[in-house]
Amino acid sequence: MTHYGLFFQFHFYLFGLIAVASALAFVTRQSPVAAALWLVNTMFCLSALFVMLDAQFLGAIQVLVYAGAIMVVFLFVVMLLNLGHPSEVADIKGLGTRLAAGAVGLAMLAEVAVLARQKLPPLLPDLPEGANVVTPVAGPLFREYLLPFEITSVLLLVAIIGAVVLAKRRA
Amino acid sequence: MVPEALFFSAVLFAIGVVGVLTRRNAIIIFMCVELMLNAVNLSFVAFSKLYGMTGQVFVIFVMSVAAAEAAVGLAIIISIFRHHETVDLKNINLLKG
């Protein structure tokens, strides 16, 4: 899709703005459960953006891994530690820290605005209509990046063992 | 399309940074880190429209590292909670001088 229609652009902006608004709601919620659900909303919108940027496979993986698995683990820990009550953790820091954090955020945005002046190279040609969308990702993943991909499995194994050892109750 | 995606990515990353700096609940800070990882993933996907599929491969790596990090980090939070009965970072200051 080299020529983006108005409909497409409208939905791109819509999902982007919903993602940003949900992220803002997420950092301002007191209750961890409400925050987690807003973050799930952000992740769903990001998944829609991935699909619109021709990364359909990653869009599906985003929903499955982030919204489906990682956030469930977060909510499970919130439930396990019984932290769902907002009054118990009134946790937004004082005004000075908030102003400093806002300044840091604005500085990062300004930096990006400067970087956005850079000229981007032209878009790559699109896949032919009806082409398989997973194959172009699988190619480099299993050729150039085969060793990192295999090391990832070791990383996940270590993470599983580490999580069990850390969270196990001492006898 | 790509500049807009980069813009949204930058905004989400800045929101994540502000969240990490302003919140005290360890779990929420952790979720802010996840938000920052997601923002970077959006940048990777956008750049993969310009520079080829490698960006999407890196997103897969970032996601698996994020999954491992979430598992270990939450286990650490659980074991901290056993010691201190809180996840408020105000009370977790063993290394403070």
Side-chain angles (χ1 to χ4, degrees):
Chain A
M1 222 185 309
T2 35
H3 206 78
Y4 295 109
L6 192 64
F7 184 76
F8 184 92
Q9 289 211 331
F10 170 74
H11 282 90
F12 195 87
Y13 281 108
L14 180 72
F15 280 118
L17 289 176
I18 294 176
V20 170
S22 307
L24 279 175
F26 152 65
V27 289
T28 49
R29 284 317 92 178
Q30 289 282 327
S31 152
V33 178
L37 290 178
W38 279 114
L39 186 58
V40 169
N41 200 20
T42 306
M43 284 166 178
F44 271 112
C45 292
L46 280 176
S47 148
L49 291 185
F50 285 0
V51 171
M52 290 178 135
L53 288 166
D54 289 333
Q56 289 90 347
F57 178 64
L58 289 181
I61 294 293
Q62 165 91 357
V63 172
L64 287 175
V65 173
Y66 266 115
I70 294 183
M71 292 319 291
V72 168
V73 175
F74 273 100
L75 285 174
F76 179 76
V77 170
V78 170
M79 183 196 78
L80 186 70
L81 305 183
N82 199 15
L83 303 170
H85 317 294
S87 55
E88 190 185 327
V89 273
D91 64 334
I92 295 177
K93 285 182 188 163
L95 187 66
T97 322
R98 260 183 288 169
L99 286 177
V104 170
L106 285 179
M108 295 186 71
L109 280 183
E111 190 180 353
V112 167
V114 172
L115 284 176
R117 299 279 175 80
Q118 303 278 326
K119 193 149 167 37
L120 291 172
L123 290 178
L124 290 180
D126 284 324
L127 294 174
E129 198 68 34
N132 193 335
V133 293
V134 185
T135 316
V137 188
L141 185 61
F142 289 105
R143 286 197 203 101
E144 288 97 317
Y145 297 98
L146 182 61
L147 184 64
F149 180 73
E150 297 294 343
I151 292 174
T152 304
S153 60
V154 180
L155 171 77
L156 287 173
L157 179 67
V158 171
I160 294 168
I161 296 172
V164 171
V165 168
L166 280 171
K168 211 173 98 180
R169 196 174 283 279
R170 302 279 183 276
Chain B
M1 219 39 34
V2 173
E4 291 90 339
L6 295 177
F7 168 76
F8 286 132
S9 157
V11 174
L12 288 174
F13 192 91
I15 292 173
V17 170
V18 170
V20 167
L21 292 176
T22 51
R23 301 304 295 261
R24 275 211 210 96
N25 188 337
I27 288 185
I28 298 214
I29 289 178
F30 210 22
M31 287 195 269
C32 289
V33 174
E34 297 291 333
L35 179 65
M36 281 148 72
L37 287 170
N38 262 294
V40 173
N41 281 351
L42 182 58
S43 279
F44 269 128
V45 171
F47 278 128
S48 84
K49 292 275 286 177
L50 306 179
Y51 296 102
M53 277 298 160
T54 312
Q56 299 197 17
V57 174
F58 268 86
V59 172
I60 293 178
F61 287 136
V62 169
M63 280 180 181
S64 48
V65 171
E69 172 239 333
V72 175
L74 287 170
I76 290 173
I77 288 180
I78 289 177
S79 69
I80 287 176
F81 186 82
R82 289 231 183 84
H83 274 278
H84 295 273
E85 292 291 319
T86 179
V87 291
D88 190 337
L89 292 187
K90 194 175 58 180
N91 304 322
I92 304 168
N93 51 7
L94 273 177
L95 284 179
K96 209 171 187 176

